[in-house]
Each structure stands twice: as C-alpha cells, then as structure tokens.
Amino acid sequence: MEITDIPVEGYERVVRARDPESGLHALIAVHDTTLGPALGGMRMWTYASEDEALTDVLRLSKGMTYKSAVAHTGLGGGKSVILGDPKQIKSEALFLAMGRFIDSLGGKYITAEDVNITVPDLETVRRSTRYVSGLSREDGGSGNPSPYTAYGVFLGLKAACAWKFGTEELKGRKVSVQGVGATGSELVRRLVEQGAEVWISDPNSERVQSLVDRYGVTAVEADAIYGLDVDVFAPCALGAILNDKTIPQLKAKVIAGVANNVLHEPRHGHELFQREILYAPDYVINAGGIINVSVEFHEGGYDQDVALKKIERIDDALQEIWKISEEQKIPASEAADHLAESILAEGRSS
Ligand code: NAD
C-alpha cells in the first residue's frame, strides 16, 4: 500500500492511501488533536474526483473538532473517506487494507460509522486496527448512537423552549419533525410522551403510518412541513434545508433538530437571528452520539450512566451559546464556533 502525505494548512495531517491489491483509494484527515485523538466516521462515496473527496474530508474533520470541543468529549476531530461506489467496491480485502491505513497513524485517528458504512464493515476494519469505535455492545463498544443522539436533541429542544418561551414544559407545545428515521422517530416518541402536539413528514410512508397509528401524530407532505403554525421545528433528515426558500415560510420560533449542516450557508444563521428564531446549532444539539462513543475511550470501557450524564450537559452548552449570541448580538451558529474556538485555544495554551 502506498501512503502519501498531502500538506494542508490548518490540518495536523492529511494522508492518501492507494492499494492496488484491494482497490483501496482513501483519504484520512486529522484536523486537530489538541483535546484528544481525532475521532470521526468513515464515509464511502462515489466522488467525482479526489479533489471533491478531499474537500469533503477536510470540511467534515474540522466539523468534528468543533463538535467534540463544545461537547467536552476529550477527543479531537478527524474523518476518513473511501472513494468508490459502495455497491461495487466493498470487499473484505478493502476493509482490511483500510484498517492497516488507519493503523499507520498510530491512534491519532479513530474511526466510526458514517454514510454507507455498516457495523459489519467496521468489524472487518477492526481485524487490522484497534482504532475503531462504535462497535456493538457484545464487542465491547457503545452500540448504536441514534437513541443517544435523539435523547440529547430532546433535552436541547426542551432547553430551547425554556429559553424562548420561559418554560420547558412540552404539554400542548406544537412541534414539527422533518424525517422520522432512527433519530426522528425516537424524538417523536419522547415528544408525544411529554404531551406535545406533533406533525411529521417523511417520504417513507410506512414509517409515517406506523407513527400516526402509534402516537396519533399528524402527517403532512414534504414541502408543507416548513410553513406549519408550530412553536418548534425539528429537522431530522437532510442538510441545507434552512435556505432562502424555506426560512421565509417558517412560523416556528425555535429550530432544534438532529440533522447536520442544516444551514444552507452561514448567512442563513444571520437570517434566523434577524427573525428572532432561536436556533440550537446542529453540531451542538446532536452531539449525543459522539458523547456516547467517547465514553468508550475515557472511562475504562463503556458505561451508559456516564454517557447519559454527559449527554445531559448538552443544554448547558446551548445556554452558553445563546448567552454569547445575545450579549454579542451574533447568530447562535457563529456563537457556537466562537465557543469551540475558545475551548480549543484554552486547550492549546494549557
Ligand atoms: P435515518 O436515515 O435513519 O433517517 C432519516 C429519515 O429522513 C429517513 O426516514 C428518510 O426517509 C427521511 N427523509 C429523507 N428525505 C426527507 C425529506 N425530504 N423530508 C422528510 N424526511 C426525509 O437518519 P438518522 O440517523 O435519523 O439521522 C438523521 C440526520 O441526523 C442525518 O442527517 C444524520 O446525518 C444526522 N445525525 C444523525 C446522528 C445519529 O446518531 N444517527 C447523529 C448526528 C447527526
């Protein structure tokens, strides 16, 4: 296998692997390890070019640094991408080679699940490196992160209600949820249990019907979710959904959901701020999963109680961000970045 460094300013290490035998073509970006080893998922994607893959891995790894800093996971930020079509290139040899590639960084990068990568894929990677996280409980891992992510978002959503409406009470609160997959459906369950009135949208009609039958929530068409007369909008599906087209439709006064990169561009954070819509920054409110995984590394083995206690501190981080946002009159999205940067600066100087 040929491993080559790609120098990138602002990143600790970026490396490329090419392995003709297994067909592996992959990149790993270690953005920052000031606060601990760089943990971030492994993504497999049909990129149009290596440049496109590089842009993706750089953006994602930096995002992980900020996310882990604000969540106080004791981890840094990294990410890896494997170039190719998952339907065609997946093989035992490829994942074993990826494990050797990860191992060559000596623990600076720890991998986890991401788009198009499954737990069985990671189990193969694990045979050639120990720097793999998020495996099943039976294998000593922290298991499926989604319920933990959803729990953190639920707590963050309540904190946002307390900040905006003066009470975290959800009884009678109107909430719309876009996407009811692994995390969205769990969020819906918790909201309904607390007496919230819930609207949902999802192209997966089976999932929608099962929640309608189970919890009496109301289903709406995809585009109708933005303009509903609700208190809270919880995006739990796609990125970039807060944009020039959707923001003017919003009646919700709080945005608190699971989905990553929901702001189409940074200026949409300003747009929400100007409209006095309270935004719970995505990478802060959705950190429950990474917090859960981080417990694998710091507590001498996974301990659910420790993980839950840490997840319960997500609302403290959000309150700190909204306070910065109010005091400095800047959008919450910007305040979150400032907080992450100040935590990193403190880490560097200590
Ligand atoms: P998932 O794939 O289980 O569910 C996503 C759901 O969104 C699916 O049911 C899908 O049908 C639906 N969907 C797709 N397009 C839609 C649309 N236009 N309108 C409404 N619904 C649509 O994913 P998940 O694990 O629940 O994660 C949801 C989002 O949160 C993703 O963006 C993910 O990257 C992010 N996230 C997840 C976690 C986690 O722990 N699972 C952690 C952090 C961030």
Side-chain angles (χ1 to χ4, degrees):
M1 181 185 320
E2 195 189 330
I3 298 178
T4 340
D5 273 88
I6 307 172
V8 180
E9 208 186 319
Y11 287 74
E12 282 182 24
R13 222 174 149 195
V14 182
V15 267
R16 170 202 300 115
R18 300 288 320 232
D19 180 47
E21 262 172 55
S22 64
L24 179 73
H25 181 190
L27 302 171
I28 297 177
V30 174
H31 174 251
D32 193 298
T33 58
T34 306
L35 304 173
L39 190 142
M42 176 194 301
R43 175 169 292 196
M44 186 179 278
W45 197 253
T46 320
Y47 293 103
S49 64
E50 190 185 76
D51 268 358
E52 192 183 283
L54 183 63
T55 304
D56 207 27
V57 81
L58 294 180
R59 178 181 65 88
L60 293 166
S61 60
K62 187 172 177 184
M64 290 308 297
T65 300
Y66 280 42
K67 181 173 191 157
S68 256
V70 174
H72 295 284
T73 60
L75 295 167
K79 203 86 184 181
S80 59
V81 295
I82 301 176
L83 289 80
D85 181 349
K87 289 196 197 83
Q88 290 176 12
I89 67 160
K90 277 194 180 188
S91 71
E92 186 183 33
L94 181 119
F95 285 118
L96 289 173
M98 187 64 188
R100 292 196 299 279
F101 180 31
I102 291 167
D103 211 60
S104 74
L105 296 178
K108 258 188 176 290
Y109 170 67
I110 298 164
T111 200
E113 239 182 294
D114 200 78
V115 178
N116 289 324
I117 296 295
T118 63
V119 169
D121 297 336
L122 287 183
E123 279 163 0
T124 310
V125 174
R126 178 76 176 81
R127 282 163 45 201
S128 45
T129 182
R130 62 195 172 94
Y131 303 117
V132 180
S133 65
L135 294 175
S136 63
R137 291 272 164 90
E138 302 82 73
D139 288 331
S142 54
N144 177 8
S146 299
Y148 299 90
T149 304
Y151 179 49
V153 169
F154 171 70
L155 297 176
L157 186 153
K158 285 211 302 183
C161 288
W163 193 271
K164 190 71 188 173
F165 308 121
T167 171
E168 63 164 33
E169 173 70 52
L170 290 175
K171 199 164 176 6
R173 192 65 68 212
K174 295 176 175 167
V175 185
S176 55
V177 180
Q178 180 184 48
V180 288
T183 55
S185 59
E186 174 65 7
L187 180 65
V188 167
R189 177 185 72 77
R190 288 184 178 275
L191 292 169
V192 171
E193 271 177 14
Q194 299 286 310
E197 204 179 330
V198 177
W199 284 258
I200 60 170
S201 77
D202 194 305
N204 185 324
S205 50
E206 257 173 59
R207 278 186 192 156
V208 168
Q209 197 53 48
S210 111
L211 291 179
V212 168
D213 294 345
R214 211 146 148 203
Y215 301 119
V217 296
T218 308
V220 299
E221 289 301 317
D223 284 347
I225 200 82
Y226 302 106
L228 291 174
D229 190 8
V230 292
D231 303 305
V232 182
F233 172 45
C236 300
L238 312 165
I241 53 97
L242 294 175
N243 52 45
D244 291 340
K245 192 173 145 225
T246 60
I247 292 177
Q249 299 176 45
L250 295 174
K251 297 200 178 72
K253 285 289 166 206
V254 166
I255 310 282
V258 183
N260 280 315
N261 305 315
V262 282
L263 300 175
H264 180 47
E265 289 175 27
R267 68 185 171 85
H268 294 111
H270 285 263
E271 192 69 34
L272 295 177
F273 185 62
Q274 273 160 12
R275 290 170 187 258
E276 297 184 359
I277 298 173
L278 184 70
Y279 172 57
D282 44 14
Y283 69 78
V284 181
I285 193 170
N286 74 15
I290 183 92
I291 292 172
N292 193 52
V293 161
S294 73
V295 174
E296 272 179 59
F297 297 94
H298 296 291
E299 313 293 337
Y302 180 69
D303 180 333
Q304 177 168 266
D305 291 340
V306 173
L308 293 176
K309 283 209 180 70
K310 285 192 165 188
I311 291 168
E312 283 156 14
R313 296 210 294 262
I314 285 180
D315 48 3
D316 294 340
L318 288 169
Q319 282 159 16
E320 201 174 340
I321 286 161
W322 294 324
K323 196 157 165 269
I324 298 171
S325 164
E326 274 187 8
E327 284 173 2
Q328 299 184 17
K329 301 196 181 358
I330 55 171
S333 44
E334 237 173 64
D337 290 353
H338 286 199
L339 179 63
E341 280 152 14
S342 72
I343 292 168
L344 285 164
E346 207 175 298
R348 282 187 198 110
S349 66
S350 63

